[in-house]
Amino acid sequence: MFDLIIFGGGLGGCAAAMSACSKGLKVLMTEETDWIGGQSTSQAVPPDEHPWIEDFGCTAKYRQYRDEIRAFYIKNMPISANARTDGFNPGAAIVSNLSHDPRVSVHVLNEMLSPYLLTGGLTLLLETAAVSVARTGRELHSAELVSLRSGERMTVEGRYFIDATETGDLLPLASMEYVTGSESRAETGEAHATEEADPNNIQGFTHVLAFEYDENGSHVIPKPEMYDFWKEYQPPHWPDQMLSLTGPHPVTLERREYALFSDGSKFPLWNYRRVYAKDQYDIQDANDITLLNWPQNDYFIGNIYEVSLEDKRKHLHGAQQLSLSLFYWLQTEAPRPDGGKGYPGLKLRGDVVGTPTGFAKAPYIRESRRIKALYTITEQDVSPASQPAKSALKYEDRVGVGSYSIDLHPSFTGVCYVDIPALPYHIPLGALIPRDMDNVLAGNKNIGTTHITNGCYRLHPTEWNIGEVCGELVAYCIRHGQRPAAVRENESSLREFQQILREAGVQLEWPDAFYEKR
């Protein structure tokens, strides 16, 4: 019998395991791939963070994670003198202040979990998934797990459960109430909601590739089987074919031109998600490494939720073919500034993402199934049009903070980008608690957001904060014999729990210094 079973070893799952184990709980965590870390590792997406992350706006454990990534590079890599700064960015990327090799995140997360793994407080089952659960009324009791490597099955029992999977996999297994896609404007009152609810209006996902540029080499891959399809494909809302160095601006939707490498005028895609910038290191014969996670390889022509296994496999394969086709197009047909075509020196780097193919171990999922929660975060909570203060709604049951714009990528039903401002926000405890279960919590992107607010609550530091709070809440509930909903509803329990979070380094409100900097 485990005190806590966590499904999913992403950032939320790891943070939940750390906080629960630190309170002496016996924890089991499963992970479908052979890497923990989710977005940062198996999906190969370096941390997307807000502008104040170096000073405030995350938990102490997340800050430790960031610090240890930098410490790894400082200890093990010959960083050049001019690059050795307090805010060292391994990839000198545009999108992230801490764009780094996914393998480093795997190493750091394993080290952070090692005290609990070595002492038996944490059992970690990699390449393992839940296939069924036992539910009675408002409680889960056990789960049947399967090894994705051997096919062996086992049943585990637990007192509490956290769904920290990337797609909310536990929710249908447990017959829980949940939402996919967009709610109607009549239901939420959100200015940017769709007129009618649409369960298929889900953001597209991306299968990331890692690659380098060997300027004098030739590494052209065989032509992908779906290359001709993707070369001609043009979505209704897209000004050009997908395989091009142009695309819609996420706000104005006007045609925008990119460059692969920096040319001083166009947006350089190479620098966007670069994880190794060779100029920052005193190493000979090493090339830059970047990640293919751009507007051009967002896959949005087929849903993977509540569809047949055949359809799911078809769309997962289609997403891989889109990324591979874009890569092949860059190698063979992309226009160069010198008038030529293609960069044959582009070379897949499967070692970076831990695969022989160059693909990340799992697709990058932006929008999960979402619980029907005790509280649902709406656009009005975070929009500067609705909130007169300099931060979003300050919930009485707040358990963390975060910040990001409402950033929705094109969806499966043809809705193009939604990119609108959002104020620095707080995380309400009620959004982590399902309304139909007493011993289950949401620990990833599956919390009580709407389709709209998922766009700002889905990023790395917020996911970590959510998972960490879930682990702390389970420990509190077991110690005091209370259920999560009761902790939220009882004012003295809520205040005591919030104080425990503060003592653990969880920031519950934006500090005065933040408002001074804005």
Side-chain angles (χ1 to χ4, degrees):
M1 168 72 77
F2 291 92
D3 295 312
L4 172 62
I5 296 175
I6 303 168
F7 302 102
L11 293 179
C14 287
M18 288 176 206
S19 58
C21 287
S22 72
K23 295 297 194 294
L25 269 58
K26 185 179 180 183
V27 178
L28 168 69
M29 183 167 72
T30 67
E31 165 55 36
E32 292 194 18
T33 72
D34 59 353
W35 275 6
I36 58 173
Q39 293 190 68
S40 288
T41 62
S42 59
Q43 297 177 33
V45 181
D48 283 318
E49 299 169 330
H50 55 73
W52 311 281
I53 194 69
E54 301 295 344
D55 300 314
F56 41 73
C58 67
T59 76
K61 283 189 176 69
Y62 184 79
R63 189 164 304 285
Q64 178 188 351
Y65 162 70
R66 300 181 87 254
D67 290 345
E68 291 193 11
I69 287 169
R70 286 188 172 132
F72 177 93
Y73 281 91
I74 291 167
K75 176 184 177 182
N76 296 292
M77 298 292 287
I79 302 170
S80 60
N82 63 335
R84 191 179 286 266
T85 63
D86 290 341
F88 175 66
N89 186 347
I94 295 171
V95 74
S96 172
N97 288 332
L98 196 64
S99 188
H100 60 281
D101 192 301
R103 293 170 291 185
V104 176
S105 259
V106 177
H107 172 82
V108 166
L109 290 168
N110 275 307
E111 280 207 332
M112 292 179 75
L113 289 172
S114 62
Y116 314 115
L117 290 167
L118 293 174
T119 57
L122 174 62
T123 300
L124 175 61
L125 299 180
L126 298 174
E127 296 181 276
T128 300
V131 291
S132 66
V133 296
R135 171 180 175 174
T136 302
R138 295 177 58 88
E139 291 190 2
L140 293 190
H141 301 290
S142 64
E144 183 183 14
L145 309 178
V146 62
S147 167
L148 302 178
R149 177 180 293 177
S150 69
E152 181 182 355
R153 298 200 174 203
M154 63 183 297
T155 298
V156 292
E157 296 181 338
R159 299 173 69 181
Y160 279 86
F161 300 80
I162 295 174
D163 182 355
T165 62
E166 303 298 322
T167 54
D169 293 336
L170 178 63
L171 309 184
L173 279 181
S175 299
M176 291 173 60
E177 297 179 351
Y178 66 93
V179 179
T180 64
S182 57
E183 298 84 353
S184 70
R185 189 172 303 166
E187 178 184 353
T188 67
E190 296 172 307
H192 291 85
T194 52
E195 286 294 335
E196 303 292 334
D198 187 346
N200 290 313
N201 184 27
I202 302 167
Q203 292 183 74
F205 60 92
T206 304
H207 215 127
V208 179
L209 287 168
F211 61 111
E212 66 172 46
Y213 183 49
D214 173 13
E215 191 171 0
N216 298 313
S218 180
H219 307 280
V220 178
I221 63 172
K223 181 180 175 181
E225 63 183 79
M226 292 183 66
Y227 181 74
D228 292 333
F229 170 81
W230 286 117
K231 183 179 177 182
E232 299 301 323
Y233 182 74
Q234 181 176 347
H237 51 260
W238 202 270
D240 295 277
Q241 275 83 13
M242 295 285 284
L243 306 190
S244 70
L245 290 177
T246 59
H249 188 283
V251 178
T252 67
L253 305 186
E254 294 178 353
R255 186 175 187 270
R256 178 168 66 170
E257 294 191 2
Y258 303 93
L260 181 56
F261 300 106
S262 179
D263 66 358
S265 60
K266 299 171 187 173
F267 185 88
L269 290 167
W270 186 264
N271 300 5
Y272 185 47
R273 296 188 184 274
R274 182 171 52 188
V275 294
Y276 181 83
K278 63 180 180 180
D279 292 343
Q280 297 196 117
Y281 305 89
D282 295 327
I283 296 179
Q284 301 296 320
D285 302 323
N287 296 317
D288 277 9
I289 302 169
T290 197
L291 300 170
L292 194 72
N293 180 7
W294 306 337
Q296 294 94 325
N297 64 319
D298 283 354
Y299 182 88
F300 44 76
I301 65 171
N303 184 16
I304 58 172
Y305 300 148
E306 282 62 73
V307 297
S308 68
L309 181 59
E310 181 182 0
D311 280 348
K312 181 178 180 179
R313 287 173 174 167
K314 179 181 74 174
H315 294 309
L316 290 172
H317 178 69
Q320 287 190 333
Q321 282 292 303
L322 171 56
S323 293
L324 204 62
S325 295
L326 177 58
F327 181 74
Y328 179 77
W329 179 85
L330 290 168
Q331 288 182 314
T332 59
E333 296 192 51
R336 300 195 308 260
D338 64 5
K341 289 187 176 182
Y343 296 87
L346 296 177
K347 179 183 178 182
L348 290 173
R349 286 292 303 272
D351 56 319
V352 172
V353 287
T355 69
T357 60
F359 283 115
K361 292 175 181 289
Y364 170 41
I365 301 294
R366 295 181 178 86
E367 187 171 338
S368 173
R369 301 175 179 91
R370 306 184 299 280
I371 62 169
K372 289 192 175 181
L374 296 183
Y375 184 87
T376 300
I377 304 159
T378 65
E379 182 182 349
Q380 298 91 303
D381 291 2
V382 301
S383 171
S386 303
Q387 297 295 329
K390 289 186 177 180
S391 73
L393 192 61
K394 194 173 182 179
Y395 310 101
E396 287 296 320
D397 66 340
R398 60 191 178 276
V399 291
V401 298
S403 184
Y404 208 74
S405 65
I406 292 174
D407 172 24
L408 302 179
H409 286 233
S411 80
F412 298 135
T413 52
V415 178
C416 198
Y417 288 98
V418 176
D419 196 319
I420 53 179
L423 292 164
Y425 53 76
H426 301 86
I427 303 168
L429 180 60
L432 282 52
I433 304 174
R435 68 187 190 187
D436 62 333
M437 297 295 286
D438 289 332
N439 67 339
V440 177
L441 295 170
N444 200 307
K445 297 182 287 287
N446 54 348
I447 66 169
T449 61
T450 63
H451 170 71
I452 298 294
T453 53
N454 162 264
C456 57
Y457 277 77
R458 64 180 171 82
L459 281 307
H460 302 60
T462 298
E463 180 191 333
W464 183 293
N465 191 323
I466 290 164
E468 186 172 339
V469 169
C470 286
E472 291 281 358
L473 181 58
V474 170
Y476 183 91
C477 288
I478 290 176
R479 185 165 63 250
H480 293 277
Q482 288 182 278
R483 289 304 196 187
V487 175
R488 177 176 180 259
E489 291 164 5
N490 183 287
E491 184 174 354
S492 62
S493 296
L494 177 61
R495 299 297 170 242
E496 182 182 23
F497 178 62
Q498 288 174 320
Q499 183 57 32
I500 289 171
L501 293 179
R502 289 188 176 96
E503 292 171 359
V506 178
Q507 188 177 320
L508 302 194
E509 50 270 314
W510 291 94
D512 293 340
F514 163 75
Y515 295 108
E516 293 168 3
K517 288 192 174 190
R518 289 198 75 207

